[in-house]
Amino acid sequence: PAQRERLGKLRELALAALAGAHAILPGAAVTVLALRPAGASNREILARLANAGYSAADGTAFGAPDVLRITISPETPAAIAQSLKGA
């Protein structure tokens, strides 16, 4: 229960960091964030996240080519926000 609560809070931090700039897709998972980035290509954003050491995947592999799937960890919200700047 404590880990689930902590992950929920981390997801909320990530959502707040991205609010307004990108379309966040609804979902029940607290460890994965799916979003449609505005501006920059998925490839460019994935490269930025990978260079920062974060786990993300292009949605093309699961039938959603305009979506990024990002795994949430304690460091992820800041990395996501930084990687999407200028998008």
Side-chain angles (χ1 to χ4, degrees):
Q3 182 179 12
R4 184 180 193 104
E5 183 177 320
R6 188 173 135 265
L7 290 171
K9 287 179 182 178
L10 291 172
R11 185 174 191 275
E12 291 304 315
L13 286 171
L15 291 172
L18 298 168
H22 307 279
I24 307 296
L25 305 178
V30 295
T31 59
V32 174
L33 177 67
L35 62 98
R36 285 190 181 98
S41 71
N42 282 7
R43 177 178 281 170
E44 182 182 343
I45 294 169
L46 285 168
R48 290 181 203 167
L49 288 168
N51 287 338
Y54 298 99
S55 177
D58 190 315
T60 301
F62 53 91
D66 60 338
V67 173
L68 291 179
R69 185 191 71 211
I70 303 168
T71 303
I72 301 297
S73 71
E75 300 83 16
T76 302
I80 294 170
Q82 183 63 35
S83 295
L84 292 174
K85 283 190 178 184

